[in-house]
Amino acid sequence: MARKRKTGGRVPRRTRWLGSLIVLVVCGVAAGGLAVYRALSGHTDERPVTTDEASRLALSRLNLYQASPVAVTLTTTEGGGVMVRVSGIVDYRTHRAVGSYQVSGAGGASSETFGPSGTSGPVAGQLDRGLIVWDSGGLGLARATRGDTTPPWQQAEHIPRSGWSSRSYTTDPLDAGLRLLIGLGADRPDNPLLLAQSGARWLDRERIDGRDYDRFAGPRAQGAKSSAGPDGGRSPLTYWVDDDGGLRRVTMRMPGLGTPTTVEFSGRDSRAKLPEAPWSTG
């Protein structure tokens, strides 16, 4: 959204898993510090991933790509008690996404952070909401039509490009989460051997909505040493993957924030269609 993009042509090749981690580190994601995701009654006997586990982890990004458009929910904290929730769809074939956003507990937030230019931002005790589109270059925000209950992707089609306040990504938690989310899908599997050699680890097994998932720490960023930091240099990214390589959840630790950014995947939304209007050059 930060710059005009062509709507046709060949889909650009996606960066590899480790390359994505490097970008996230540059954006300010630190590998040190282990956040508590949930209350654990005992010690987790984490270990390196097996060959089968590495293979399923390597397939998870391809499975997202093939399932597009995928329904997603992103939740992140911005500091000062501000929480942002984005619900929408991502098409990993075009690397575009659209959804709605809601801001709660907005004490200390500014309109420059969330609200479109020229509109009032969230204030303490009130909820700010609107539409959001994003791609690999940046994001755009717009006001939703009051009383419109249609899906965000339908609402976005009726807002011309001039109605979107667009910008490039920053290092804020919301931007880092959106940038991570748009890069998770890939048109080919990752190299399972490379994932295993780069520090991917099995953490435990968890049941979500009646289905079992293995929880993995992702591969370490390039140059990170296994002994670095209190968590052994573990990746800031954690993945929940089922027995078929389906990705259910991803969390990302952010420096200075006790609550990780969380991305939830709800599967393919066959009704959804990505709008052209926000990216239109006409």
Side-chain angles (χ1 to χ4, degrees):
M1 279 303 297
R3 60 181 183 274
K4 294 181 179 179
R5 301 174 61 86
K6 296 180 181 180
T7 58
R10 185 167 58 90
V11 177
R13 180 177 295 178
R14 304 312 300 156
T15 55
R16 290 302 186 191
W17 197 310
L18 292 178
S20 299
L21 284 175
I22 295 170
V23 170
L24 290 170
V25 172
V26 172
C27 290
V29 180
L34 176 61
V36 177
Y37 299 102
R38 58 189 176 90
L40 297 176
S41 58
H43 176 69
T44 299
D45 296 323
E46 68 173 74
R47 52 167 172 73
V49 293
T50 65
T51 300
D52 174 71
E53 290 164 352
S55 297
R56 286 191 284 120
L57 190 58
L59 280 174
S60 62
R61 297 178 70 208
L62 175 62
N63 287 338
L64 275 183
Y65 178 91
Q66 294 177 334
S68 296
V70 181
V72 300
T73 301
L74 181 150
T75 306
T76 187
T77 58
E78 290 280 341
V82 178
M83 178 174 290
V84 186
R85 181 183 178 90
V86 175
S87 298
I89 58 170
V90 179
D91 188 338
Y92 286 106
R93 290 180 169 83
T94 61
H95 302 288
R96 290 177 175 177
V98 60
S100 61
Y101 73 88
Q102 298 183 25
V103 183
S104 60
S110 65
S111 60
E112 288 78 11
T113 303
F114 302 109
S117 177
T119 63
S120 60
V123 296
Q126 292 185 353
L127 179 70
D128 184 54
R129 63 179 64 206
L131 299 177
I132 184 169
V133 292
W134 70 101
D135 56 24
S136 57
L139 62 94
L141 302 173
R143 289 296 181 191
T145 302
R146 180 172 296 180
D148 192 340
T149 59
T150 59
W153 51 271
Q154 290 184 352
Q155 297 181 45
E157 189 61 63
H158 299 292
I159 299 175
R161 198 180 198 285
S162 59
W164 295 90
S165 176
S166 60
R167 60 174 172 79
S168 300
Y169 289 120
T170 69
T171 57
D172 289 340
L174 173 62
D175 291 25
L178 294 174
R179 193 174 184 181
L180 165 70
L181 180 52
I182 202 67
L184 280 175
D187 61 1
R188 64 195 68 188
D190 287 284
N191 186 325
L193 180 60
L194 184 58
L195 293 181
Q197 292 176 343
S198 300
R201 298 182 66 82
W202 181 90
L203 302 178
D204 61 13
R205 193 158 174 87
E206 186 173 341
R207 195 166 184 83
I208 303 174
D209 295 333
R211 191 174 181 87
D212 291 326
Y213 296 86
D214 289 301
R215 189 164 66 94
F216 300 106
R220 293 187 299 271
Q222 187 175 6
K225 297 181 179 179
S226 59
S227 59
D231 61 350
R234 183 187 297 164
S235 165
L237 302 179
T238 304
Y239 304 83
W240 280 253
V241 180
D242 67 19
D243 293 339
D244 299 319
L247 190 59
R248 176 63 172 79
R249 177 185 296 164
V250 178
T251 61
M252 176 174 62
R253 299 191 307 276
M254 297 293 294
L257 296 177
T259 303
T261 295
T262 301
V263 175
E264 301 275 358
F265 295 95
S266 304
R268 176 178 172 82
D269 187 344
S270 59
R271 305 168 304 162
K273 180 181 178 181
L274 267 290
E276 290 292 335
W279 287 274
S280 173
T281 58

